[in-house]
Amino acid sequence: MADSIFRKLRDGGEEGELAPALTVEETVASPFALDVSCYLLANLSSSILAGKSKSEGLVLVTFSQSPSFYLQFLKQKGIFVSSSSKWIRVLDCYTDPLGWIDQPSPGVITEGSSLIKLHKCVSDLKRLFSSIIEAGREMVGDGKTRFSVAIDSVNELLRHSSMPLVSGLLTDLRSHAQVSSLFWSLNTDLHQEKVTNALEYISTMKANLEPFCPSSDGKRNALENLFLVHQDFGKGRFHIRFKLRKGRVRVMSEEYHVDQTGINFSPISSVETIIAATKSLIPKASYLVHFNLQLSEKERFEKEKVVLPFEHQDHGKSTEIYDGRRTLADGKTEATPLSSGELQADVVSSGKGGEIIYFRDSDDEHPDSDEDPDDDLDI
Amino acid sequence: MAAPNVRTSSFSRNISVVSSSPQIPGLKCGPNGTTFISTGIRDLDRILGGGYPLGSLVMVMEDPEAPHHMDLLRTFMSQGLVNNHPLLYASPSKDPRGFLGTLPNPGSSKEDKPTAPDLDQGESLRIAWQYRKYMENQKSSIDDYSNDFDMRKPLERQFLAGRPIDCVSLLDSSDLSVAQDHCATFLSKFPRNSSNIASIGRIAIQSFCSPLCEYSDKESDMLSFIRLLKSMLMVSNAVAIVTFPPSMLSPSSSTRLQHMADTLLSIKAIPDGDKELEKLLTGYKDINGFLNIHKVARINTQVPVILEAKTFSMSLKKRRFLALECLNQAPVDGSSGTSYGTSGSCSGSSKSGALDF
């Protein structure tokens, strides 16, 4: 499933449409958005190098880690980046985001190789936007070739600017003709729900990491929970929601497992279907009173197969009607036929000597006259 | 595959279609002295009891994952343009006029339905001759009031050129004063007098609390804007439809906005490839989303409308025409249940565990 996100990012969007955008959400209990970002980064890089991707370059904007961390990581994965690499540019907003370190030339962007650009003014989002676009254009030129943008984490951006400005920046990036796809990560515990919702609103895909055992907020039983949390720390569920074009939402889930080499995804081991979501969509059955009276082929076939109660009677065998009056086995004048062999007759015998001969008054009547006519249904 | 199960009750209000002034198309008189204008979707008109009443505020709660509120806006705006009602459109985009290019054209659905019974049929229907005249009346009146829109065809030039369409971008200013001024000047053109209706207007505001707008964290400003809009609407002959994503607001503001609405609708996205839903609903493959109706406007009366069903599925008929249908429950699978006699209750199948009876 993580593959499918990667494929969506790799393929980018159509002409004239906004670029697909992914939000990766982590929480304090499952802080692995960095691993997911690295995973996506590695995959995107290798596909760009192999020429399989629609985008020909990648602009990485780093906020929470230094650029050397990412270059190191890529080297580990076998992707070597040198200053003459034409497919990647890094915008370094980690080292000095607010421009506190004195520089001979005030303000903007200087220094470093052409690969890594130091960006000093994080609070000015318009400038950030133009730097990103500039970096991208350096790689791919001004024409129709496109590049992808990866923003390390939006937490720092939100620290320095307000929500409307940040969503404005991200939407501007999405609507720029040369950006083919874009992704960013976010820690939902650091922000209000409104902020998380707003970022989800502007993205087309949302991925979130959920630990196996939910962390408890209360202080009680902290020790027990600590043990469980510690055991399961690197593992959990990875949920993805895609917004499809028709207006539907595709929901997928996987399990993730973090270790030394990075994050690994595997399909869900235990089958626990999410019925709660469906419940909330469909109203209570009192509204669902409209039955579709037309049958599909399959339903018609099933209907043929159902055996009705009357159908399997009267197969030649005489029916057995138990009317509660078979008291003696022999010598009675009875109107109803008795089937052989299966009769459960009450044998009233008081030994070998005597016999009680008993005539019931109601024997004269037809047995079915005062009985429930449904008695002969053989259900 | 199945024909749409359009559920109409056997009692339907006989609303006369005479509009109060013949120059204004697209008006219908309703009960309690209200006048309706069409929503643009015939099914929705029928569900709401005629359409949107003049002077009401319609709010649509968006689902961030589904774009169906745009379809509601599009049909509303197209209907206004077809009926030559002046239009004010506001949206949080840099070029709101671009949206006008996505408005649908009235579809010519007449080619599918027989317009008049031909001579042969006329012969056989001679006994029921009196009903034929009602059928003809009905058809001609509906065409004037509401249209079926073909979502695939863009609106023709003749409806767009020279029409009074005012587009406002909500991104222009840092607060709502610009939008407020636009609405005030627009609505001042349609004052409500006790005499006949001179002209009517339509206002469409899209994604009102979008996170792109600079005022989106000033919730009290947004609430007072809507309150002002509603009060202006009450004394004018216009209808405003405002869509907003409720998750962008704090719960209390969202509730207050919902309270202010006269008609409240909401959109819900449908998960794709969901096996449970597929078993529960027929026609799951065609459904694009759900429309919930929370409130229906009732003006000049204290009697509420109690709808039979509040959730409808939105789908495209023939991939072109928007249709709203009641949810149809799929019949319980015959092979899974045992024969007639053994399962006693009517929902013996364990698959309908999600439903409460």
Side-chain angles (χ1 to χ4, degrees), chain B residues 162-309:
Chain B
R163 300 288 174 130
I165 307 173
D166 194 9
C167 292
V168 180
S169 166
L170 292 173
L171 295 176
D172 275 345
S173 67
S174 61
D175 62 2
L176 283 162
S177 52
V178 170
Q180 215 162 300
D181 291 334
H182 273 271
C183 287
T185 41
F186 184 78
L187 287 173
S188 59
K189 298 182 207 153
F190 318 106
R192 190 183 292 194
N193 312 314
S194 52
S195 54
N196 56 350
I197 301 174
S199 57
I200 61 177
R202 295 186 185 223
I203 298 182
I205 301 180
Q206 182 215 314
S207 300
F208 177 59
C209 322
S210 162
L212 300 171
C213 305
E214 282 178 51
Y215 57 78
S216 55
D217 40 3
K218 300 176 200 153
E219 295 192 349
S220 53
D221 283 356
M222 295 196 279
L223 286 172
S224 29
F225 172 79
I226 295 288
R227 216 177 289 134
L228 186 65
L229 179 65
K230 184 170 169 154
S231 58
M232 289 194 289
L233 277 173
M234 276 200 243
V235 292
S236 47
N237 287 323
V239 173
I241 180 168
V242 178
T243 72
F244 71 100
S247 52
M248 301 297 134
L249 297 167
S250 65
S252 62
S253 302
S254 162
T255 317
R256 281 153 106 182
L257 269 189
Q258 290 172 41
H259 257 295
M260 283 195 233
D262 289 317
T263 303
L264 183 64
L265 308 172
S266 77
I267 306 283
K268 196 95 181 75
I270 188 170
D272 193 39
D274 188 333
K275 300 279 188 320
E276 289 281 330
L277 272 184
E278 196 161 357
K279 280 182 219 155
L280 283 174
L281 299 172
T282 51
Y284 168 74
K285 292 198 179 63
D286 298 321
I287 300 179
N288 288 337
F290 292 127
L291 176 73
N292 289 317
I293 301 187
H294 300 278
K295 240 203 265 188
V296 176
R298 296 292 280 169
I299 298 184
N300 299 339
T301 172
Q302 291 197 351
V303 179
V305 165
I306 301 179
L307 295 170
E308 287 175 336

Side-chain angles (χ1 to χ4, degrees), chain A residues 104 109 142 224 242 278 339:
Chain A
I109 306 149
D142 268 349
E224 298 167 15
F242 290 93
T278 327
S339 66

Side-chain angles (χ1 to χ4, degrees), chain A residues 71 80-89 112-116:
Chain A
L71 297 180
F80 288 95
V81 184
S82 66
S83 48
S84 55
S85 295
K86 279 259 158 187
W87 59 274
I88 185 169
R89 287 280 180 273
S113 58
S114 61
L115 174 63
I116 303 178

Side-chain angles (χ1 to χ4, degrees), chain B residues 90-220:
Chain B
S91 89
S93 73
K94 299 206 175 90
D95 180 30
R97 274 217 108 87
F99 185 66
L100 298 177
T102 62
L103 296 180
N105 199 42
S108 46
S109 54
K110 283 187 205 158
E111 35 195 54
D112 310 298
K113 296 181 208 159
T115 42
D118 34 337
L119 276 175
D120 292 37
Q121 277 195 346
E123 293 297 307
S124 59
L125 280 178
R126 228 165 11 139
I127 298 171
W129 64 270
Q130 52 191 335
Y131 297 111
R132 214 189 309 155
K133 85 164 180 249
Y134 289 130
M135 270 168 49
E136 279 166 10
N137 272 355
Q138 216 178 31
K139 283 221 175 64
S140 57
S141 55
I142 282 179
D143 288 340
D144 190 31
Y145 177 65
S146 79
N147 298 70
D148 254 337
F149 286 96
D150 182 349
M151 305 304 282
R152 279 194 172 176
K153 272 204 252 164
L155 195 58
E156 286 167 15
R157 268 285 173 88
Q158 46 159 328
F159 294 121
L160 285 168
R163 300 288 174 130
I165 307 173
D166 194 9
C167 292
V168 180
S169 166
L170 292 173
L171 295 176
D172 275 345
S173 67
S174 61
D175 62 2
L176 283 162
S177 52
V178 170
Q180 215 162 300
D181 291 334
H182 273 271
C183 287
T185 41
F186 184 78
L187 287 173
S188 59
K189 298 182 207 153
F190 318 106
R192 190 183 292 194
N193 312 314
S194 52
S195 54
N196 56 350
I197 301 174
S199 57
I200 61 177
R202 295 186 185 223
I203 298 182
I205 301 180
Q206 182 215 314
S207 300
F208 177 59
C209 322
S210 162
L212 300 171
C213 305
E214 282 178 51
Y215 57 78
S216 55
D217 40 3
K218 300 176 200 153
E219 295 192 349
S220 53

Side-chain angles (χ1 to χ4, degrees), chain A residues 197 241 248-249 290 302, chain B residues 7 65 247 272 284 287 335:
Chain A
N197 290 336
R241 294 181 78 95
R248 291 181 162 211
V249 177
H290 315 287
E302 298 295 335
Chain B
R7 187 172 166 94
E65 293 172 329
S247 52
D272 193 39
Y284 168 74
I287 300 179
S335 60

Side-chain angles (χ1 to χ4, degrees), chain A residues 162-165 167-168 171-172 193-194 197-198 200-202 241 243-251 273 275 278-292 294-296 298-300 302 305-309 379, chain B residues 1-3 5 7 62 64-68 94 207 211-214 216 219 245 247-250 268-272 274 276-277 281-282 284-285 287-288 290 308-309 311 326-329 331 333-335 341 354-357:
Chain A
S162 68
M163 186 63 231
L165 291 174
S167 24
T171 314
D172 286 339
E193 216 183 307
K194 269 204 297 190
N197 290 336
E200 285 171 20
Y201 183 81
I202 55 179
R241 294 181 78 95
K243 291 185 201 177
L244 298 176
R245 200 164 298 179
K246 256 203 308 185
R248 291 181 162 211
V249 177
R250 185 171 300 149
V251 183
T273 50
I275 306 187
T278 327
K279 256 192 202 168
S280 62
L281 286 176
I282 311 281
K284 286 200 163 195
S286 48
Y287 294 128
L288 279 178
V289 291
H290 315 287
F291 288 92
N292 188 1
Q294 305 203 339
L295 301 171
S296 69
K298 180 169 173 275
E299 284 154 4
R300 211 171 286 144
E302 298 295 335
K305 283 209 281 189
V306 171
V307 180
L308 293 173
I379 299 173
Chain B
M1 181 225 121
N5 187 6
R7 187 172 166 94
E62 303 172 19
E65 293 172 329
H68 303 300
K94 299 206 175 90
S207 300
L212 300 171
C213 305
E214 282 178 51
S216 55
E219 295 192 349
S247 52
M248 301 297 134
L249 297 167
S250 65
K268 196 95 181 75
I270 188 170
D272 193 39
D274 188 333
E276 289 281 330
L277 272 184
L281 299 172
T282 51
Y284 168 74
K285 292 198 179 63
I287 300 179
N288 288 337
F290 292 127
E308 287 175 336
T311 308
C326 292
L327 298 179
N328 283 320
Q329 187 183 23
D333 204 355
S335 60
L355 300 176
D356 307 326
F357 270 100

